[in-house]
Amino acid sequence: MSDRYFRLMERHQKLDEALRIARDPLDVLRLRSLKSAVKARLAALFLRRPEAALATV
């Protein structure tokens, strides 16, 4: 697993935790948008390096 992939996964988990705690609807919307952007970056990275997926199985 590359450092970049690891950092993105770590950020995704932190955003997920922040979403569980968030109470303000505007914060929830902001966090969802950030989480979605990180998820898209993870997907793009995953598609660019499919051999990395086989190493995690």
Side-chain angles (χ1 to χ4, degrees):
M1 178 183 307
S2 71
D3 289 338
R4 185 175 182 193
Y5 193 78
F6 179 78
R7 283 193 311 267
L8 285 171
M9 285 185 59
E10 187 176 44
R11 182 161 185 186
H12 189 269
Q13 289 174 348
K14 287 180 181 181
L15 287 168
D16 202 28
E17 180 63 29
L19 268 169
R20 281 191 216 107
I21 297 170
R23 298 288 179 225
D24 183 30
L26 291 177
D27 282 342
V28 171
L29 287 174
R30 182 181 59 84
L31 291 168
R32 280 186 186 167
S33 139
L34 289 171
K35 185 177 171 185
S36 178
V38 170
K39 187 175 179 180
R41 290 169 69 187
L42 277 168
L45 187 62
F46 184 76
L47 288 175
R48 200 167 35 154
R49 295 191 50 203
E51 69 278 359
L54 297 176
T56 62
V57 174

